[in-house]
Amino acid sequence: MNNESDINNTCGLLRVKLAKLEIIITSPVVVIGAASCVVAICLITASKGYRSYTHRINLYLAITALCRTVAIGLQVLPIDINQPSNATVRVKSGWDVPCAAIGFLTEYLFQSESLIRIWICTYVFVFAFFRFQLNHTKCEITGLLITFILPALTTWIPFIDNSYGLTGTNCWVITKCNGRHVEGYVYLILIEDALYSAFLIISAVMVA
């Protein structure tokens, strides 16, 4: 992404003036989101709600969401916005690897958070609604293994062709354009579909 050909072949890059505007708009959202997660974690901990299986799942969700919010906040660090307003946003010199690492972390936490949400929905709307008798310890261990190991098995894939990098104002999966060739979002579609399918299959087998 440091040469002109990479910039010309990459979709989603913004002008500096638009990038600054996006950062101004999203920064308060990130702060509010992080604060909300901290409050939720404190309330569950203070009330000793972690003793309850349901509250523990919510606690896992709050912690994961907090980590993802922090990762999103880190997105601004590699961006070089000290340029003319009409210039294209670029990664600071020497920040390519940190940007790729932030992109990986953000995607990993996003997938983990999505799986925890599915875990909660599955429990509330299926198991709790039909009042199935569940082994909560077994369900909890299974859920934790799935939500934190499965994403780790898939989010490394963009590293194969160095597809983690700057997209817009985000360090994420790069979308490169060359004629009709577009790559990047295809990774997420395939990965997330595989994760959600695996979650439902493994959950059904493990808690049966």
Side-chain angles (χ1 to χ4, degrees):
M1 290 219 21
N2 288 330
N3 56 57
E4 192 66 28
S5 62
D6 284 339
I7 293 174
N8 290 337
N9 290 329
T10 304
C11 298
L13 293 182
L14 300 178
R15 299 297 181 184
V16 170
K17 60 182 178 181
L18 295 178
K20 290 180 178 179
L21 178 61
E22 183 175 323
I23 292 173
I24 292 173
I25 294 174
T26 58
S27 294
V29 177
V30 170
V31 173
I32 293 173
S36 300
C37 293
V38 171
V39 170
I41 293 171
C42 291
L43 288 176
I44 294 175
T45 304
S47 64
K48 297 183 179 179
Y50 53 81
R51 295 178 179 178
S52 165
Y53 170 74
T54 305
H55 288 163
R56 279 200 303 275
I57 302 178
N58 291 322
L59 181 61
Y60 301 145
L61 177 61
I63 293 173
T64 306
L66 174 61
C67 292
R68 187 170 75 92
T69 303
V70 172
I72 293 174
L74 295 176
Q75 300 274 350
V76 300
L77 296 180
I79 301 174
D80 185 6
I81 58 175
N82 295 319
Q83 304 179 68
S85 297
N86 290 326
T88 302
V89 177
R90 301 191 184 191
V91 177
K92 296 176 183 176
S93 178
W95 279 80
D96 295 276
V97 173
C99 183
I102 292 172
F104 165 78
L105 181 63
T106 303
E107 178 59 22
Y108 170 81
L109 292 170
F110 169 76
Q111 293 186 17
S112 295
E113 184 180 344
S114 298
L115 289 173
I116 294 178
R117 293 181 187 278
I118 294 178
W119 181 5
I120 293 174
C121 291
T122 302
Y123 177 75
V124 173
F125 294 105
V126 178
F127 298 143
F129 181 77
F130 292 107
R131 300 190 180 279
F132 292 156
Q133 295 299 318
L134 297 175
N135 184 326
H136 284 168
T137 300
K138 188 176 181 180
C139 290
E140 187 170 359
I141 294 174
T142 302
L144 288 174
L145 290 176
I146 291 173
T147 54
F148 292 109
I149 292 180
L150 275 182
L153 298 177
T154 57
T155 48
W156 61 270
I157 295 176
F159 282 120
I160 295 176
D161 58 354
N162 297 318
S163 288
Y164 278 123
L166 184 64
T167 298
T169 57
N170 299 313
C171 293
W172 194 46
V173 180
I174 301 172
T175 302
K176 297 179 181 178
C177 300
N178 185 6
R180 294 189 306 172
H181 176 65
V182 177
E183 62 182 23
Y185 292 107
V186 175
Y187 283 125
L188 300 185
I189 296 173
L190 296 177
I191 289 172
E192 290 168 16
D193 286 348
L195 281 174
Y196 298 158
S197 299
F199 180 90
L200 295 176
I201 294 173
I202 296 175
S203 296
V205 173
M206 294 295 292
V207 303

